Amino acid sequence: MLPRHWDWLAQQKGGASVALRRLVEQARRTGEGSDRIHLAEEAAYRFMSAMAGNRPHYEDAIRALFAHDHGRFEKLIAEWPADVRDHAARLAKSAFQHEN
């Protein structure tokens, strides 16, 4: 951090430690929805890459996942084996829920 950052922190009520904790908590709350979506996308992507990379419509399903196109995603994975399809859908579920 630059000296001006330390100066600002030192002027905050409770000092640098309290100010930093407050900033971290605020950042966590602000990014919680997007973090949840990102984690769901990544989990679904990793699973689908390992278990369905050779399945029909795999690449289009990945595109639909990252485009947050739930209807298209469901259509594209519909013909996959039930266990693979269901688990991919379960992992991706949070990726399709909009932030509040």
Side-chain angles (χ1 to χ4, degrees), residues 32-89:
E32 196 170 279
S34 61
D35 290 347
R36 175 185 42 78
I37 291 169
H38 176 72
L39 290 172
E41 288 172 341
E42 289 302 314
Y45 172 74
R46 285 191 303 275
F47 173 77
M48 291 167 61
S49 294
M51 299 302 295
N54 62 344
R55 295 285 169 198
H57 313 296
Y58 162 77
E59 290 181 3
D60 289 331
I62 293 294
R63 288 185 192 99
L65 169 68
F66 284 101
H68 305 135
D69 188 341
H70 187 231
R72 181 159 169 71
F73 178 81
E74 292 288 332
K75 279 184 189 176
L76 292 166
I77 68 171
E79 296 177 17
W80 293 0
D83 55 346
V84 174
R85 177 195 63 226
D86 294 348
H87 193 63

Side-chain angles (χ1 to χ4, degrees), residues 33 36-41 89-98:
R36 175 185 42 78
I37 291 169
H38 176 72
L39 290 172
E41 288 172 341
R90 194 173 308 113
L91 289 172
K93 183 178 180 180
S94 291
F96 297 118
Q97 295 173 347
H98 298 293

